[in-house]
Amino acid sequence: MTTTPTRVPIDPFGSDIVAESARLRALGPVVPVDLPGGIPAWAPTGYDALRTLILDPQVSKDPRKHWRLWPQVGERPEWAWVLGWIGVVNMLSTYGSDHTRLRRLVAPSFTARRTEALRGRVEAVAAELLDAMEKAGADGAVVDLKEAFAHPLPMQIICELFGVPDHLRQSVGELVAAIMDTTDQSAEHAAFVQQQIGTVIPAQIAYRAEHPGDDLTTELIRVRDEEGDRLSSEELLFTLLLVIGAGFETTVNLIANAVVELLNHPDQLAAVRSGELDWDQVIDEVLRARPSIASLPLRFAVSDITVDGVTIPAGDAILTTFGAAGSDPAHYGESAEAFDAARAADDHLSFGIGVHRCIGAPLARMEARTALSALFDRFPALTPAFTADDLKQVPSFIAYGWQTVPVRLAG
């Protein structure tokens, strides 16, 4: 007689991602879980299991073709929150030739050469934001580093890159925040997200169609209009949603998480400033231990897949667990949960691996390196205005970051 395995509910608030990963890891290498709203999935709990699944060609990201429960999503309002992640048609949710086609349209815009060409602009925006921070933090006033610096820097750069006009930028930010929020499984919240997707991004497309410029939205509109077999109108909309949203939100958390860890580990900050450690080591350690995306929904088993003795049946969903992989003691040793930039662990999976590796990785690294260097050069006495209990995780099991990061510019 076959018994149905007991599923472990995932905390929709992401209250303690490291501890939750450890609890799941104690149950086995691949564990059945319930995502918010009761969506059943499998969660790999360690580095090797996740890497194996990511690289397996029998693991798809297309729910329309490979998730046996896809037809039920429309019948289960408490599952509708996931549509912002998998109910889209872009390179994040396609498989095989469709994924390759969509990726090739965007990837050339994020090459190392093009990223390097943006460095001067990133430096200029960082300097402007630090000037404003200096005024706001005068006389020992507390400044929210996330609001003043970590968020507006990547937001400004990605909006310039894609030609998002000033009047739409707040709406874009609010839309991405709503998609990231996994604490509300109500039909009303899901409907709001879908309504915003169908309003904000089309407004961006319409604006750039009327006011073409030297930006990536204009280029993608040209592809749609002149080469419709390469990019449909639906794919254009959802591709912009992906690249604009992912192009700033993850870097926000990368920068803010790095600042929090360095302020909590002043010895490591001192080692960076003395040249004993470099910024790339810090960035890799943040990506490993405090990844901007802790868990990404969803992938799907094309056929039965066995990993470390656990069989995931064909058609089942799989959670991509970057947070659990990064804190896996079997791969990173007993101190895996600790932040240690000297670890030099550049084999983390937080940018993905294989065909779905993040195309924006070079840009995110450059922005973080530029931002962190400029911040601590300008404010070498930067100190935390928070304790560990003060920091509140953003309301998401997907994102790994803090709602606010209060600091003082001088001790």
Side-chain angles (χ1 to χ4, degrees):
M1 179 178 176
T2 302
T3 58
T4 302
T6 301
R7 296 190 173 275
V8 181
I10 294 293
D11 176 12
F13 290 86
S15 304
D16 192 338
I17 288 167
V18 172
E20 183 173 60
S21 296
R23 287 193 295 271
L24 291 175
R25 194 175 299 116
L27 299 175
V30 184
V31 175
V33 296
D34 274 336
L35 306 189
I39 298 174
W42 294 87
T45 64
Y47 182 99
D48 289 340
L50 179 60
R51 188 178 190 278
T52 296
L53 286 166
I54 289 177
L55 291 175
D56 192 329
Q58 291 300 298
V59 174
S60 166
K61 297 193 79 173
D62 191 335
R64 294 162 294 279
K65 294 179 180 177
H66 300 121
W67 189 23
R68 62 180 175 81
L69 297 181
W70 175 246
Q72 295 186 27
V73 175
E75 303 167 1
R76 305 283 296 269
E78 71 275 19
W79 289 10
W81 67 268
V82 83
L83 290 173
W85 294 94
I86 64 172
V88 295
V89 184
N90 55 37
M91 59 187 170
L92 190 65
S93 60
T94 46
Y95 178 70
S97 60
D98 286 334
H99 169 261
T100 302
R101 171 175 55 84
L102 293 172
R103 186 179 177 94
R104 283 176 177 169
L105 289 173
V106 180
S109 302
F110 291 92
T111 62
R113 180 181 61 81
R114 290 202 173 188
T115 295
E116 186 58 32
L118 289 170
R119 183 183 299 277
R121 182 58 184 150
V122 175
E123 291 172 345
V125 173
E128 293 169 6
L129 294 171
L130 293 174
D131 288 344
M133 272 185 66
E134 190 163 14
K135 294 178 182 178
D139 301 321
V142 173
V143 178
D144 178 2
L145 181 129
K146 181 175 180 179
E147 180 182 32
F149 188 63
H151 187 280
L153 174 58
M155 180 65 153
Q156 177 77 17
I157 296 303
I158 203 69
C159 285
E160 290 182 4
L161 195 59
F162 282 88
V164 180
D166 290 345
H167 70 273
L168 286 178
R169 293 184 183 184
Q170 181 175 345
S171 297
V172 168
E174 291 172 351
L175 168 59
V176 173
I179 293 173
M180 285 285 182
D181 186 345
T182 57
T183 63
D184 187 347
Q185 292 91 56
S186 69
E188 292 77 14
H189 179 74
F192 169 77
V193 169
Q194 294 304 311
Q195 185 270 334
Q196 289 297 98
I197 290 174
T199 301
V200 176
I201 306 302
Q204 161 68 5
I205 295 170
Y207 180 86
R208 277 300 155 208
E210 186 175 348
H211 305 91
D214 183 18
D215 61 82
L216 300 184
T217 299
T218 297
E219 173 59 19
L220 289 174
I221 290 172
R222 184 200 65 76
V223 173
R224 179 201 63 182
D225 292 346
E226 298 178 10
E227 309 172 56
D229 58 333
R230 295 181 66 203
L231 185 70
S232 69
S233 292
E234 180 185 42
E235 291 168 341
L236 169 62
L237 187 157
F238 290 131
T239 293
L240 288 173
L241 174 65
L242 170 63
V243 292
I244 294 174
F248 80 88
E249 180 65 25
T250 53
T251 308
V252 171
N253 290 335
L254 173 56
I255 295 169
N257 290 354
V259 172
V260 168
E261 292 303 326
L262 290 172
L263 294 181
N264 283 337
H265 298 87
D267 55 329
Q268 295 185 48
L269 176 57
V272 176
R273 296 191 56 76
S274 70
E276 181 182 345
L277 297 173
D278 61 44
W279 287 116
D280 286 324
Q281 288 175 283
V282 171
I283 290 166
D284 276 323
E285 183 65 355
V286 174
L287 289 166
R288 179 199 71 82
R290 312 290 183 259
S292 301
I293 297 294
S295 295
L296 189 62
L298 283 166
R299 298 178 187 235
F300 312 95
V302 176
S303 60
D304 289 359
I305 300 171
T306 300
V307 179
D308 291 339
V310 178
T311 298
I312 301 173
D316 275 15
I318 302 166
L319 188 62
T320 310
T321 48
F322 299 119
S327 60
D328 181 8
H331 189 80
Y332 291 110
E334 293 183 2
S335 65
E337 293 184 1
F339 180 87
D340 180 6
R343 191 189 306 270
D346 60 359
D347 65 342
H348 60 80
L349 302 175
S350 298
F351 282 133
I353 189 173
V355 297
H356 283 280
R357 179 171 171 79
C358 175
I359 61 172
L363 178 59
R365 283 185 177 279
M366 184 271 284
E367 287 181 327
R369 190 163 48 240
T370 302
L372 294 169
S373 176
L375 174 69
F376 287 103
D377 282 349
R378 176 74 71 92
F379 306 120
L382 190 74
T383 56
F386 59 81
T387 66
D389 292 337
D390 294 331
L391 295 178
K392 304 301 180 185
Q393 158 76 7
V394 295
S396 178
F397 80 93
I398 295 172
Y400 194 161
W402 307 112
Q403 295 182 30
T404 61
V405 181
V407 298
R408 289 187 173 86
L409 307 186

